Amino acid sequence: MNVPWVPLAWLNLTHDRVRFALFASGIAFAVVLMSVQLGIMNAMLDSNTIVFQKLNADLVVVNPARPSILFRHTFQRSRLDQTIGVPGVVSAHAIYLEHELGRLRNTDPNPQTRGRTRRLRVIGVDPAAHAIDLPHLDPGSWEKLQTPNTALFDRKARPSLNPRSPGESVYGKLEPGMKTELSGHEMTLVGGFELGFDFGCDGTIVLSDRTFTTILREPYTLGDPMADIDYGVLRLQPGSDPNELKKQVQQVIGREGDVMVMTKAEAIDRERNFWWASTPIGFAFGAGVILGFVVGMVICYQILSSDVADHFAQYATLRAIGYPNRYLSSIVLQESVILALAGYLPGLLVAWGAYAYLTKISAMPLTLTLGRAALVLGLTLVMCVASGFLALNKVKKVDPADVF
């Protein structure tokens, strides 16, 4: 039979506006749960890949035995030097990293204002190479870093539990010109940047490669302290294909299997996958997203089931006058989509506010990107439609004989 289209699903849900608002708030609650869990998880993953994101590189060279930036697996600098002979490679620069020996101590003579000694990430680079882009770096800082025993400090280092002033780090109030001590050596801070903390460190200090190797490699190394490096960054000629040059560079320097060449995107993904698969981050927050999904399904199923029960006589009437099961089922599925959209929009707004608040109090980079918002929308639609299919059994059991 020809069935005229009537927005019956919309009318069923919205005839009582207060009740519809309560229905939407239940779905919004699930949206907030999923969004916040995804936000925290991605903030942790983003913070642990921030160094790779800021590398001024087209290709990255690393020891394949090094699963993450936190581990100490180096390779010979001579391998990096060989890449200069590959056509298309413009420059090659070394990155030195230290996560265990870097101890920053505030030397303020007043114990009341002196911060605690804390372990932090130390990066050593050639100041003239600009191998890493440091966000919001003070002007002229790279030039000042050429002076021995100088350092750039991270203004977004992990905040103290009881900061004495806004923006104060666990190391005390850091500022350009401050004299401090790094791993037993006097250091002068000559500039600040904003990078942030992660699971592996409370903050970052950047030194010149010469100062880095003098302080953190020479006392513990036999031979040339600059011979072993942590990462190599390669810049290519404009217009070059990074994937093609990656293969060429790998053939030149990777024959012995002691180095691996990746694109910058591959290096970020590799680090991200390590934290996702080899640490509790993926399991803990993935389980949180699943929990929000299940909670939303239960809420949506209860809403749709109660709606079918409340309109049982109307469904029975439609059945009695000849409307098929598929039409009645379509009403329930339409309601599930309407609920998903009605709950998604306010839920996303609340989640956006929660992101801003959590970023402010924790300094974690919670960012609601378009892709993540689309993922939550997809999860919300699947959640509600799946609940709709579960609720179809109640519609299929409608019998006009029970009413008339």
Side-chain angles (χ1 to χ4, degrees):
M1 63 180 294
N2 293 325
V3 179
W5 184 82
V6 177
L8 191 56
W10 173 257
L11 295 174
N12 275 353
L13 289 173
T14 60
H15 76 281
D16 186 336
R17 300 298 176 88
V18 174
R19 190 182 185 193
F20 178 61
L22 292 175
F23 287 169
S25 65
I27 304 302
F29 173 71
V31 170
V32 172
L33 278 180
M34 292 189 293
S35 299
V36 170
Q37 292 294 322
L38 278 172
I40 296 175
M41 179 183 70
N42 282 297
M44 291 182 173
L45 294 175
D46 290 345
S47 65
N48 282 285
T49 60
I50 189 68
V51 171
F52 292 102
Q53 294 174 34
K54 299 305 178 183
L55 289 179
N56 187 10
D58 297 302
L59 298 178
V60 178
V61 184
V62 65
N63 186 331
R66 185 174 195 149
S68 168
I69 195 172
L70 289 180
F71 294 84
R72 178 76 187 280
H73 295 82
T74 59
F75 63 94
Q76 294 181 353
R77 184 164 186 156
S78 58
R79 286 277 186 248
L80 184 65
D81 295 337
Q82 292 172 0
T83 64
I84 298 298
V86 179
V89 176
V90 174
S91 62
H93 303 286
I95 301 287
Y96 297 91
L97 284 168
E98 181 58 56
H99 288 89
E100 296 297 329
L101 301 176
R103 307 278 174 168
L104 187 69
R105 186 174 74 88
N106 190 338
T107 55
D108 189 334
N110 185 354
Q112 299 298 322
T113 59
R114 184 168 59 229
R116 293 179 294 159
T117 297
R118 294 296 296 270
R119 180 172 61 88
L120 69 164
R121 175 193 292 124
V122 186
I123 300 177
V125 294
D126 179 357
H130 299 290
I132 184 170
D133 294 322
L134 298 176
H136 306 289
L137 181 65
D138 294 333
S141 294
W142 286 120
E143 291 74 15
K144 296 175 183 177
L145 199 63
Q146 299 278 8
T147 304
N149 295 330
T150 57
L152 309 179
F153 66 94
D154 188 355
R155 287 190 292 264
K156 292 183 69 175
R158 190 187 301 273
S160 172
L161 294 177
N162 296 292
R164 289 172 289 277
S165 62
E168 186 171 355
S169 76
V170 291
Y171 319 116
K173 181 73 173 177
L174 301 183
E175 54 189 14
M178 174 181 174
K179 299 287 186 180
T180 185
E181 185 178 287
L182 178 66
S183 301
H185 294 75
E186 184 178 284
M187 197 70 53
T188 302
L189 303 181
V190 294
F193 57 91
E194 296 181 5
L195 200 62
F197 58 89
D198 55 39
F199 267 16
C201 68
D202 291 331
T204 301
I205 289 288
V206 177
L207 312 177
S208 70
D209 51 355
R210 296 289 180 180
T211 299
F212 180 97
T213 53
T214 299
I215 294 175
L216 299 172
R217 289 291 184 267
E218 189 172 321
Y220 314 101
T221 304
L222 296 176
D224 184 1
M226 302 185 74
D228 292 328
I229 64 177
D230 293 271
Y231 289 94
V233 297
L234 306 182
R235 289 201 283 270
L236 310 179
Q237 289 180 353
S240 301
D241 183 358
N243 291 302
E244 183 60 33
L245 278 176
K246 180 188 75 170
K247 297 176 184 178
Q248 297 179 24
V249 173
Q250 185 69 45
Q251 290 175 354
V252 172
I253 67 173
R255 296 174 182 175
E256 298 183 15
D258 58 340
V259 293
M260 177 173 64
V261 184
M262 302 175 287
T263 64
K264 180 178 175 178
E266 288 173 341
I268 294 172
D269 289 341
R270 185 172 184 262
E271 186 72 15
R272 189 181 182 89
N273 290 337
F274 169 81
W275 289 98
W276 167 261
S278 302
T279 70
I281 292 179
F283 174 78
F285 292 99
V289 174
I290 293 173
L291 177 62
F293 185 89
V294 172
V295 168
M297 276 194 66
V298 172
I299 293 173
C300 190
Y301 174 76
Q302 293 295 334
I303 291 172
L304 294 174
S305 296
S306 64
D307 182 76
V308 172
D310 291 342
H311 297 90
F312 190 84
Q314 288 82 359
Y315 281 111
T317 301
L318 290 173
R319 176 70 63 80
I321 62 178
Y323 284 87
N325 257 341
R326 66 176 180 274
Y327 178 73
L328 302 183
S329 298
S330 70
I331 294 174
V332 176
L333 294 179
Q334 289 173 43
E335 288 183 4
S336 69
V337 173
I338 292 171
L339 285 170
L341 297 177
Y344 172 76
L345 293 176
L348 195 68
L349 287 175
V350 173
W352 180 79
Y355 276 32
Y357 176 72
L358 291 173
T359 298
K360 181 178 180 180
I361 65 172
S362 69
M364 288 193 304
L366 274 76
T367 305
L368 187 59
T369 64
L370 183 61
R372 292 166 189 174
L375 175 59
V376 175
L377 175 59
L379 289 172
T380 305
L381 287 170
V382 171
M383 173 186 78
C384 292
V385 172
S387 301
F389 275 106
L390 292 176
L392 289 182
N393 289 328
K394 292 185 176 292
V395 176
K396 293 176 180 179
K397 293 177 182 178
V398 171
D399 188 349
D402 294 335
V403 179
F404 302 104

